[in-house]
C-alpha cells in the first residue's frame, strides 16, 4: 500500500527541510511509524524551496509554489496537489484545507482514496460550513481523535453519509522521562499537580484553580505547578490565586523549553487540564508517556486517550467540585508511574497509532477499489 501524506501549510521562518522535520514531529512521527510497518509512505510538504530527502523509510518532497506559508482562503496550492497526484498512490491523506479535496479528486485516478484529517478547532459556522460540506463530499473517509467528534460533523451535514469515520489520535510522542520522581510524593500527603497548557478560556485555568483550592481542604500539602507559553489570562490567574489564598501552593513556571519538559513531568504526580475542547491533547500524551497520572476533563479526545477513565480521573468541564474530586481520587488511587507508561506504550505510542491508522487506510482503499470497479467516482 502506497500512502501520500500531504501538508499544505508551513510556518514562516523555518530555515530548511531539516528544521521543518525536526519541528513537525506529528507529521514525521505519523509517517515514519507507518513506514516501519512496511507501508510505502511519501510526504508532500509545501515549503519555500524545492527539495527531496529520505529519512527513516519515508520519501519527503518539499514543494515551492510562490504562495504564502499560511494559505489564504482563496489560494489553491496546485503544484503541491499535482505532485501528490503524480505518485498515483493508493491513498492521499490531506491535513487541513478540505478545499484541496475537489481538485485532487479531479486529477487523481479513480482508484485513489482521499482521506481528510481533522486537527481540532471549532466547528465551521455559516457560510464556511456550507463550503466545507461542498469540498468534503470528495472525502472517502475522515479521521478524528474521537468517533464522537466525527459523528457530530456528519450529523450537521459537513461530511457525506458514505464517508467512513475513524477514531485515531493525531499524534503521539517519543518522550521518555527519568524513572525516579524528583519531587512528587503523594504517599507522604504532598501530591504535586502539574498544569501544561495555554492560560486561556478554552483550557479554563480558573476552574482548575478553584478545584485545586478545594482539594487542599483535604490535602493541605498539595502543590500546583503551571507551565504555559501563550497566557492571555495570566493577570486573571494571578488575581484568582491571591483571592483563593493559595499563593504559597502554586508556582507559575511560565515557558519551559521542550528539552526541559521530561524533567518537569518527572517531578509530578498528577497532570491536570480543564479543557472544554481539544483536537487531541499533546501535553496529556507527553505526561502519560512520562508516567504522570491524569485528572482531566471528560471531553471526547481525553476520553479516548484515557480509554474512558481506565487510566485517569475524568471530571466535568467548568465544574470546580468535580475537578477537586478527580484530583483527590488521583492522589489517593493513582497507579505507579511504570503502569501509566505501560498503558501509554500499549494504546498511545506511535506504533499503536500506526497500527490503527494502517488498518483504517486498508479499509478505505478496499472500499474505493470496489467502487472504482463499478461505480461513480
Amino acid at each position: 500500500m502506497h500512502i501520500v501524506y500531504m501538508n499544505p501549510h508551513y510556518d514562516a521562518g523555518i530555515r530548511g527541510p531539516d528544521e521543518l522535520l525536526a519541528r513537525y514531529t506529528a507529521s514525521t512521527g505519523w509517517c515514519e511509524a507507518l513506514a516501519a510497518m512496511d507501508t510505502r509512505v511519501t510526504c508532500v510538504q509545501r515549503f519555500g524551496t524545492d527539495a527531496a530527502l529520505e529519512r527513516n523509510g519515508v520519501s519527503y518532497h518539499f514543494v515551492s509554489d510562490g504562495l504564502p506559508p499560511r494559505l489564504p482562503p482563496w489560494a489553491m496550492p496546485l503544484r503541491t496537489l499535482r505532485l501528490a497526484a503524480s505518485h498515483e498512490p493508493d491513498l492521499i491523506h490531506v491535513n487541513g484545507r478540505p478545499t484541496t479535496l475537489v481538485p485532487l479528486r479531479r486529477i487523481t485516478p479513480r482508484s485513489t482514496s482521499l482521506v481528510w484529517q481533522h486537527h481540532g478547532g471549532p466547528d465551521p459556522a455559516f457560510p464556511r460550513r456550507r463550503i466545507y460540506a461542498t469540498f468534503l463530499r470528495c472525502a472517502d473517509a475522515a479521521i478524528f481523535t474521537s468517533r464522537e467528534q466525527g459523528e457530530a460533523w456528519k450529523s450537521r451535514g459537513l461530511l457525506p453519509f458514505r464517508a467512513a469515520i475513524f477514531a485515531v489520535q493525531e499524534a503521539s510522542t517519543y518522550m521518555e522521562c527519568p524513572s525516579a520522581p524528583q519531587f512528587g510524593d503523594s504517599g507522604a500527603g504532598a501530591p504535586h499537580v502539574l498544569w501544561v497548557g495555554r492560560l486561556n478560556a478554552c483550557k479554563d485555568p480558573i476552574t482548575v484553580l478553584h478545584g485545586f483550592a478545594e482539594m487542599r481542604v483535604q490535602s493541605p500539602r498539595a502543590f500546583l505547578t503551571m507551565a504555559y507559553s501563550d497566557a492571555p489570562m495570566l493577570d486573571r490567574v494571578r488575581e484568582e490565586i491571591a483571592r483563593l489564598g493559595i499563593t504559597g501552593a502554586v508556582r507559575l513556571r511560565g515557558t519551559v523549553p521542550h528539552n526541559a519538559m521530561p524533567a518537569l513531568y518527572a517531578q509530578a504526580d498528577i497532570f491536570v487540564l480543564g479543557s472544554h475542547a481539544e483536537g487531541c491533547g499533546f501535553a496529556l500524551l507527553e505526561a502519560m508517556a512520562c508516567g504522570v497520572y491524569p485528572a482531566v476533563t471528560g471531553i471526547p479526545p481525553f476520553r479516548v486517550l484515557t480509554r474512558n477513565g481506565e487510566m485517569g480521573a475524568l471530571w466535568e468541564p467548568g465544574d470546580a467540585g468535580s475537578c477537586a474530586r478527580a484530583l483527590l481520587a488521583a492522589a489517593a488511587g493513582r497507579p505507579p508511574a511504570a503502569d501509566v507508561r505501560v498503558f501509554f506504550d500499549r494504546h498511545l505510542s506511535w506504533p499503536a497509532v500506526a497500527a490503527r491508522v494502517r488498518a483504517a487506510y486498508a479499509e478505505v482503499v478496499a472500499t474505493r477499489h470496489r467502487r472504482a470497479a463499478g461505480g461513480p467516482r
Side-chain angles (χ1 to χ4, degrees), residues 4-9 44 46 65 67 69-85 92-108 112-117 119 131-141 377:
V4 166
Y5 183 94
M6 192 181 74
N7 280 327
H9 293 298
V44 175
R46 282 188 66 249
D65 55 15
L67 295 170
R70 308 301 293 182
L71 288 170
W74 50 264
M76 188 60 64
L78 293 177
R79 191 160 181 253
T80 302
L81 304 187
R82 291 183 184 121
L83 178 59
I92 298 177
H93 177 127
V94 176
N95 286 291
R97 294 288 293 191
T99 52
T100 60
L101 289 164
V102 168
L104 272 175
R105 185 73 280 160
R106 289 173 179 164
I107 62 176
T108 51
T112 298
S113 301
L114 300 181
V115 172
W116 175 76
Q117 186 171 15
H119 289 285
I131 296 171
Y132 267 48
T134 298
F135 289 99
L136 283 168
R137 76 177 190 271
C138 293
D140 293 284
R377 289 164 68 95

Side-chain angles (χ1 to χ4, degrees), residues 254-267:
T255 301
V256 177
H258 195 257
N259 62 6
M261 288 303 300
L264 184 65
Y265 286 122
Q267 297 171 7

